[in-house]
Amino acid sequence: MTRMTTALIALCAASPALADVNVYSHRQPELVQPLFDAFTKETGIGVNVAYISKGMVERLQAEGARSPADLVMTVDIARLAQVVDAGVTQAVDDPTLNDAIPAEFRDPANHWFGLTSRARIVYASKDRVADGEVTTYEDLADPKWKGRICTRSFTNDYNVALTAAYLLHHGEDATKTWLTGLKANLAQKPEGNDRAQVKSIWSGVCDISLGNTYYMGQMVNDDTQKEWADSVRIVFPTFEEGGTHMNISGAAMTASAPNHDDALKLMEFLASDTAQEIYAETNHEFPIKEGVARSELVESWGTFTPDVLNLTDISAARPAALKLIEEVNFDG
Ligand code: FE
């Protein structure tokens, strides 16, 4: 080996990040790695991922302009809005992204972009809940469900967004009444995640629960949880005079973005047919791009009408929703 080759190899080894895109991800490695592998295969651009489960905003703020991060990937409009509100992102006005992603699933100011969508639905016991017995979110407060409902904490982002949507549809008084009625129908105090509620249906503690759609995909592919999944069916409730509540996973470009151009290529790739298909198959989420097919499993859950509320409005209504949830002491 010549001395020059050796020097070149040493240089490449010392600074691999310079030619790569750096992602701070709140999403689990197994969900995003297949996407990054496909991107690297197509473009030759590497992707370094730091998985950050807590303190993403604090870390970006502490690193400031020197942050190595180019992109942030996370779930729920709450967390996307939180990153944007902290001032650590930049606007990306890109025709490819604007074409691929429907307007209701991206920030009007171009800071956050939805990449997949998911519905917050009802898991209903196959044995104890009849077809058509639950059709609306409003109905969950009906006393006929007394002692039959399970849910995770209502201060959880997913439930805060659902409550924010309720608030936008019906106003403050009606939302408080709904939360009070729903709480009165719970079989047990809110605890555990969405899948834990389905387990509770399986074990007979309750008959229906609230959960995100993709957890059905995760449960049927898990040896232990498959039985839980088999005990329920998915019902897509709607708001009266509305549709089924939707949320997103998404991405934002950081303010520092040392590899801006390659990071933009990665964002465009994530919104491409190739990546949207990978998302559909591995994450059991709904592709955000029109024309990309849902996975066979997701398709088997049936069709539904998505609610028309804009995620920007839902995000803005979150603090008021959380206040109501705390006022009725929902989790207490
Ligand atoms: Fe989740």
Side-chain angles (χ1 to χ4, degrees):
M1 197 182 284
T2 67
R3 197 186 301 171
M4 197 152 146
T5 318
T6 314
L8 201 62
I9 289 170
L11 179 71
C12 291
S15 54
L18 290 179
D20 292 348
V21 177
N22 301 318
V23 177
Y24 283 3
S25 173
H26 186 267
R27 308 217 70 184
Q28 292 152 1
E30 63 271 23
L31 297 186
V32 287
Q33 198 56 51
L35 295 156
F36 298 151
D37 291 345
F39 173 70
T40 301
K41 203 173 155 201
E42 192 172 299
T43 62
I45 302 165
V47 180
N48 303 310
V49 197
Y51 295 101
I52 300 172
S53 61
K54 278 201 178 101
M56 175 98 80
V57 168
E58 291 74 12
R59 179 156 165 183
L60 287 165
Q61 282 175 324
E63 291 170 347
R66 294 180 328 269
S67 176
D70 298 296
L71 291 186
V72 166
M73 288 175 73
T74 187
V75 296
D76 201 278
I77 183 58
R79 286 174 216 163
L80 285 166
Q82 196 188 16
V83 178
V84 172
D85 291 348
V88 292
T89 58
Q90 63 176 291
V92 174
D93 194 1
D94 182 66
T96 306
L97 291 176
N98 294 348
D99 278 354
I101 305 169
E104 67 268 31
F105 290 137
R106 56 184 156 84
D107 179 15
N110 294 316
H111 276 259
W112 56 261
F113 295 85
L115 294 169
T116 61
S117 71
R118 62 275 295 281
R120 192 140 186 84
I121 49 91
V122 163
Y123 287 104
S125 164
K126 283 178 182 167
D127 296 339
R128 301 184 299 276
V129 179
D131 268 336
E133 200 177 339
V134 54
T135 55
T136 66
Y137 296 107
E138 288 83 349
D139 181 62
L140 299 176
D142 189 295
K144 78 177 179 188
W145 295 112
K146 195 161 181 54
R148 298 175 68 192
I149 302 181
C150 282
T151 179
R152 79 194 301 167
S153 164
F154 248 61
T155 62
N156 173 270
D157 285 336
Y158 302 155
N159 283 334
V160 174
L162 174 66
T163 307
Y166 201 102
L167 185 58
L168 292 169
H169 276 291
H170 297 299
E172 199 176 306
D173 289 349
T175 304
K176 205 166 171 177
T177 305
W178 179 70
L179 287 168
T180 306
L182 180 53
K183 181 186 174 183
N185 287 340
L186 296 183
Q188 59 187 9
K189 275 193 185 187
E191 64 171 33
N193 58 22
D194 280 355
R195 276 173 286 180
Q197 317 310 317
V198 178
K199 184 184 183 187
S200 293
I201 296 175
W202 167 77
S203 64
V205 172
C206 42
D207 295 343
I208 59 174
S209 71
L210 282 165
N212 286 353
T213 38
Y214 54 87
Y215 287 119
M216 183 61 122
Q218 294 184 10
M219 288 185 292
V220 298
N221 287 301
D222 181 291
D223 288 345
T224 317
Q225 299 173 5
K226 190 166 182 316
E227 305 190 83
W228 313 348
D230 288 344
S231 74
V232 295
R233 64 175 184 282
I234 284 182
V235 176
F236 293 97
T238 62
F239 286 106
E240 286 166 8
E241 300 174 34
T244 300
H245 174 63
M246 305 296 291
N247 210 313
I248 54 170
S249 82
M253 176 99 69
T254 66
S256 58
N259 310 292
H260 174 280
D261 293 359
D262 284 346
L264 182 57
K265 280 185 199 154
L266 177 55
M267 284 178 98
E268 289 178 345
F269 176 79
L270 293 173
S272 72
D273 286 20
T274 309
Q276 289 285 303
E277 280 161 21
I278 296 172
Y279 265 129
E281 289 298 331
T282 57
N283 295 18
H284 317 291
E285 293 177 272
F286 304 117
I288 220 152
K289 189 179 184 192
E290 237 171 275
V292 178
R294 293 171 181 183
S295 75
E296 210 174 301
L297 174 68
V298 172
E299 196 65 40
S300 75
W301 301 336
T303 54
F304 63 96
T305 307
D307 201 28
V308 292
L309 287 179
N310 191 294
L311 279 171
T312 307
D313 296 333
I314 290 177
S315 176
R318 288 186 76 258
L322 188 57
K323 192 165 159 264
L324 293 176
I325 291 162
E326 284 167 351
E327 270 174 29
V328 306
N329 188 24
F330 193 96
D331 291 349

